[in-house]
Amino acid sequence: MARRKRTSPVLEKAVRRAAGINSIDVNLNLGHGLTQPAFLTLIETMRTKENAYNTALSNLDKLYREMLETEDELADMAEHMLLGVGTRYGKSSVEYGMAGGVPKSQRRKRLRGESPTSSSQQPSYIATVNGNDNGSKAAVTS
């Protein structure tokens, strides 16, 4: 999704105001640096910076899309590389495991409906002994 380009309401308002001031006097000078030419220069500076910003966003969007395409290409090639190792050395080989695959001999078969974490999480039991000196009370908690 492309990033939204920026439009400045302040810039639009300044352009309209400059047009109105032009109808008063093209070279209006109100003193203290408030002149029509300085105002027009600042409007152009803002317009240039806004255009540069929007261009940078477009370039960033393009770079992002290219990166995603390359990432997909890389994922496909990584999968093909693993499949190639599996074809050449076998899916039960040490080389297949070295390439990042799980050798067939090390795969666990799950029962239908069993979640991947249910069998691997065993309940833990901690034995505690009461602080009595006779040591007759022991409790097991889970």
Side-chain angles (χ1 to χ4, degrees), residues 3-13 16 46-47 49-51 53-55 57:
R3 288 166 178 76
R4 286 186 50 148
K5 306 302 182 268
R6 188 177 193 289
T7 57
S8 172
V10 173
L11 177 61
E12 292 170 3
K13 184 176 179 180
R16 286 191 304 271
M46 176 59 191
R47 184 175 285 136
K49 290 188 181 201
E50 185 179 65
N51 287 339
Y53 175 81
N54 289 334
T55 301
L57 284 180

Side-chain angles (χ1 to χ4, degrees), residues 30-133:
L30 301 172
H32 304 289
L34 300 175
T35 65
Q36 179 67 352
F39 190 44
L40 292 174
T41 302
L42 192 55
I43 287 172
E44 282 308 309
T45 301
M46 176 59 191
R47 184 175 285 136
T48 301
K49 290 188 181 201
E50 185 179 65
N51 287 339
Y53 175 81
N54 289 334
T55 301
L57 284 180
S58 295
N59 290 335
L60 186 61
D61 287 337
K62 179 183 176 203
L63 182 62
Y64 181 70
R65 283 190 306 274
E66 289 172 355
M67 183 190 68
L68 290 178
E69 289 172 6
T70 305
E71 186 178 42
D72 289 342
E73 200 176 315
L74 178 61
D76 287 344
M77 187 169 186
E79 183 180 4
H80 285 105
M81 293 294 289
L82 180 62
L83 291 173
V85 170
T87 301
R88 175 171 285 177
Y89 297 101
K91 288 190 175 182
S92 294
S93 68
V94 173
E95 290 84 0
Y96 187 73
M98 291 169 60
V102 178
K104 277 186 171 181
S105 59
Q106 293 180 3
R107 290 187 192 156
R108 285 190 35 221
K109 292 188 178 181
R110 285 181 273 206
L111 299 175
R112 181 176 282 169
E114 181 182 328
S115 69
T117 57
S118 65
S119 63
S120 65
Q121 293 180 347
Q122 298 290 330
S124 61
Y125 294 99
I126 302 171
T128 58
V129 177
N130 255 351
N132 295 359
D133 286 335

